[in-house]
Amino acid sequence: MADHWVKLELDIRTFDAARFAKYVARCRGAGIRLTTLAELGDTPPHRRELYALNKECAADIPDRGEFYTFDEYIERRVDVPSFDPRGVVVALDGDTWCGLAATSDRRSGGFVFNEMTGVRGGYRGRGVSIAMKTFGIGFAHLCGVDKIRTIHHPANTAAIEMNRRLGYVDAQWDQWD
């Protein structure tokens, strides 16, 4: 990762879940269900849905470049030791996959890592991202760690601001594990 990227970290011991519970409730009230890939089933069709959603949402990342092919995505993001379907939060509107917050298991380094949070265009501005990230904090508990890390391109100000609102602070690290 280039040095210019914004590295953030959240200490879940000080995370005020009650402050953000309204976002989860608002989603549920609007008929948007929050679940995980593990609960849905880590199946080939669900992996295709996850890939399509991730590809669509990743197009908004500054300087992202071309997204992986499906096979590359599976090889680099799913068929890796840090992938755990319990760490992939999915927001569903009926059968429509409208958001994802994918967090990887890096407990060997004392943290989990938020790889990607994204919401389809028509669902933005409803608090779905905050709801997914709040819901997904349980994954850090499952992994027995108290830190969540993430990294952003400095021009991705909306994502940086959302994470800071959740309590993420600037951090420095050199290693992923």
Side-chain angles (χ1 to χ4, degrees), residues 71-159:
D71 289 338
E72 289 169 337
Y73 180 78
I74 295 300
E75 178 186 328
R76 295 179 187 176
R77 296 303 215 185
V78 177
D79 288 343
V80 294
S82 60
F83 177 80
D84 186 327
R86 299 174 303 170
V88 180
V89 175
V90 178
L92 297 169
D93 184 7
D95 292 333
T96 301
W97 291 45
C98 57
L100 78 132
T103 305
S104 60
D105 180 351
R106 307 293 178 116
R107 75 178 87 181
S108 63
F111 63 95
V112 294
F113 189 82
N114 184 241
E115 302 280 349
M116 172 68 182
T117 301
V119 177
R120 287 200 156 115
Y123 292 89
R124 293 183 185 156
R126 302 185 196 183
V128 177
S129 288
I130 290 176
M132 289 186 304
K133 290 187 83 124
T134 300
F135 183 86
I137 285 176
F139 182 63
H141 293 291
L142 286 173
C143 292
V145 298
D146 55 21
K147 302 273 188 243
I148 302 173
R149 290 181 176 172
T150 194
I151 194 164
H152 295 286
H153 186 285
N156 197 353
T157 56

Side-chain angles (χ1 to χ4, degrees), residues 12 18 23 27 43 57-58 104 112 123 126 132 140 152 168 173-174:
I12 64 169
Y23 294 97
C27 282
T43 65
C57 294
S104 60
V112 294
Y123 292 89
R126 302 185 196 183
M132 289 186 304
H152 295 286
Y168 283 76
W173 64 82
D174 295 323

